[in-house]
Amino acid sequence: MMASSETASFDLPLFPLGTVLFPGGRLPLQIFEPRYLDLVSRCMRENSSFGVVLIRAGTDVRVGPGSSQPEVFEIGSEAKIVDFNQLSSGRLGVTIEGGRKFRVHDTWEQSDGLLIGEVSILPEEPELAVAGEHQELVDLLTELTLHPEVAKLQLNIELEDARSVGWRLAELLPIEPEIKQSLLQLPYPRERLQELRRLITKLRG
C-alpha cells in the first residue's frame, strides 16, 4: 500500500545495476546494449531521467532471446545524465547523477527489452546538521575525497549536512551492495550515520 506522503505513481524506465546510486552521487557507466543506447539518447534529447535499481537476483545482460529480466530491489534513485563521451572501446561512456529516491510498485518489459517500473517518489529526507558524535564520519569523508578516483567524480559534498555526509560515505565505503541498499532505504539521515559508524567500527576491527 502506498504511503500517503509518497507521490502518485508514474512510469519510469529502469536501469538495473550491481551497484547502488545515492541522491547526489555520481556513477560512470559504459553503454553498449541497443535498449540502453536508445534510453540514453532519449533522456539527453528530452532532458528526462531514468531509475537505477540494485539487482537482487539474476543479471541485466541479455545472453539470449529467452533470458529474463533480473529481480530488483524496490527502492532506487532517479538518475540524470550529466556527462558523456565516446570511449576507445566504441562504447558510450556516460556519467549519471542520483536524484530523488523512489519505490517500485510493479515492473514490466517493453518490446525492446527495456524494464519499465511503476514508481512513486519517496518523501524527501529532512535536512539536519551533523551531530558532534558523528564528527569522525566527516573527517573520514574528507580523507576519502582526496583520493584521485573520488576527486574525478567532482561530487558536491556538504560536510555540515547529515544527508550529504551519509550518502557520500555509504557510496564510497568498501561494503557489499546489499548493505549499501539497506543504507539507501533508511528514511532518516541520523539513523544512516549511526549505522555507518557501526559499520566502520566493524571494518576497522
Side-chain angles (χ1 to χ4, degrees), residues 45 80 92 98-101 108 118 137 147 150 162 186-187:
R45 186 173 62 249
K80 283 262 190 179
L92 177 65
R100 302 173 297 178
K101 295 196 297 183
W108 65 93
E118 179 195 345
L137 299 180
H147 191 283
V150 176
L186 293 174

Side-chain angles (χ1 to χ4, degrees), residues 137-157:
L137 299 180
V138 175
D139 296 340
L140 175 58
L141 178 58
T142 303
E143 285 179 36
L144 289 172
T145 57
L146 299 177
H147 191 283
E149 289 302 312
V150 176
K152 263 198 292 190
L153 292 173
Q154 298 180 320
L155 295 169
N156 179 25
I157 304 173

Side-chain angles (χ1 to χ4, degrees), residues 60-82:
D60 190 43
V61 178
R62 304 321 278 276
V63 293
S67 58
S68 59
Q69 292 282 357
E71 182 185 344
V72 299
F73 284 87
E74 68 169 10
I75 305 295
S77 292
E78 205 174 10
K80 283 262 190 179
I81 298 165
V82 293

Side-chain angles (χ1 to χ4, degrees), residues 75-197:
I75 305 295
S77 292
E78 205 174 10
K80 283 262 190 179
I81 298 165
V82 293
D83 195 16
F84 70 95
N85 64 298
Q86 198 68 42
L87 303 174
S88 57
S89 63
R91 296 181 176 186
L92 177 65
V94 300
T95 300
I96 59 174
E97 184 172 276
R100 302 173 297 178
K101 295 196 297 183
F102 61 81
R103 183 188 310 280
V104 180
H105 299 284
D106 195 11
T107 61
W108 65 93
E109 183 179 324
Q110 284 190 165
S111 58
D112 63 358
L114 188 67
L115 188 65
I116 305 295
E118 179 195 345
V119 310
S120 57
I121 301 298
L122 293 172
E124 191 173 348
E125 294 184 21
E127 184 175 349
L128 296 170
V130 178
E133 62 183 308
H134 295 132
Q135 185 57 44
E136 62 180 302
L137 299 180
V138 175
D139 296 340
L140 175 58
L141 178 58
T142 303
E143 285 179 36
L144 289 172
T145 57
L146 299 177
H147 191 283
E149 289 302 312
V150 176
K152 263 198 292 190
L153 292 173
Q154 298 180 320
L155 295 169
N156 179 25
I157 304 173
E158 299 176 40
L159 295 174
E160 302 81 22
D161 186 339
R163 298 173 303 177
S164 183
V165 172
W167 290 332
R168 300 293 74 78
L169 268 180
E171 68 194 4
L172 295 174
L173 286 174
I175 49 181
E176 294 296 315
E178 290 79 8
I179 298 176
K180 291 178 186 280
Q181 178 69 27
S182 68
L183 291 167
L184 175 72
Q185 293 176 181
L186 293 174
Y188 300 112
R190 285 182 182 159
E191 188 182 0
R192 185 176 297 111
L193 293 182
Q194 276 297 122
E195 183 60 18
L196 280 164
R197 192 165 69 165

